[in-house]
Amino acid sequence: MAILPILRYPNPQLREMGVPVSKVDDAIRTLVDDMAETMYDAPGVGIAAPQIGKLLRIFIIDIAGDDEPSDLKVFINPEITSLAGSLRWDEGCLSFPGATESIKRAESVTVRATGLDGKQFELEAVGLLAVAIQHENDHLDGVLMIDKLNPLGKRRLSRKVAKESG
Ligand code: NI
């Protein structure tokens, strides 16, 4: 296992499309282990492969609280098949360290994906898990939370990021 460097906005690699995983093999399992170690170290509730420079359609999420056992969910080649309702959630992103933004998302989602065992599964999620799935799935298409903000919010977040990295 290894903790990998997380790419930060505005790194242009964060804008690239993830490629579908053709086979869940040892290389993919090692990558997922490294992603998990990197996410827990950060710490964060989710991370997508493009955030550590791997342009593959994989993200992982663990929304368990500090006092709960870990609950790692692995999504390989995910596809959101339905979205319903709407809500606003204060989101963070490991590629925007220190930033929290109120973002409008669907309240519930259905997602189909392949697991680490190579089998397809379907999951219905609401609330935080639904938000995390939408956020991480966006990373696989090069979409970032800043894209969801209005022009004023985009400028404010860009300035904040520039200040943090300067
Ligand atoms: Ni993110």
Side-chain angles (χ1 to χ4, degrees):
M1 301 244 286
I3 295 170
L4 305 168
I6 298 170
L7 304 184
R8 292 181 174 197
Y9 180 84
N11 189 311
Q13 270 187 278
L14 291 169
R15 292 305 192 180
E16 292 180 32
M17 292 282 288
V19 173
V21 172
S22 54
K23 187 167 182 280
V24 181
D25 56 13
D26 283 348
I28 295 296
R29 282 185 283 270
T30 299
L31 172 62
V32 168
D33 277 351
D34 290 347
M35 286 170 64
E37 193 173 2
T38 303
M39 176 182 77
Y40 289 127
D41 176 70
V45 299
I47 193 167
Q51 288 181 278
I52 47 132
K54 299 283 180 197
L55 290 174
L56 290 169
R57 301 191 77 80
I58 305 174
F59 63 77
I60 63 172
I61 291 173
D62 188 341
I63 59 163
D66 292 340
D67 51 352
E68 295 171 331
S70 64
D71 180 20
L72 184 67
K73 291 181 164 57
V74 178
F75 302 81
I76 298 168
N77 299 336
E79 204 182 325
I80 293 176
T81 55
S82 77
L83 296 161
S86 78
L87 84 177
R88 280 197 164 270
W89 203 280
D90 289 335
E91 294 184 23
C93 178
L94 295 177
S95 296
F96 294 85
T100 305
E101 297 291 337
S102 170
I103 290 171
K104 195 175 164 196
R105 300 278 186 185
E107 183 180 18
S108 65
V109 304
T110 306
V111 60
R112 202 162 38 213
T114 299
L116 263 190
D117 58 3
K119 291 183 183 138
Q120 215 177 55
F121 66 93
E122 193 173 72
L123 178 75
E124 286 175 37
V126 296
L128 173 57
L129 183 55
V131 167
I133 288 168
Q134 293 167 82
H135 178 116
E136 301 308 334
N137 196 62
D138 276 350
H139 277 296
L140 307 186
D141 295 325
V143 174
L144 302 172
M145 71 177 189
I146 193 168
D147 305 335
K148 308 287 180 183
L149 303 178
N150 63 26
L152 189 67
K154 284 188 173 85
R155 280 201 299 277
R156 183 173 38 72
L157 182 52
S158 295
R159 275 200 304 268
K160 182 177 164 60
V161 168
K163 213 179 283 173
E164 303 251 324
S165 60

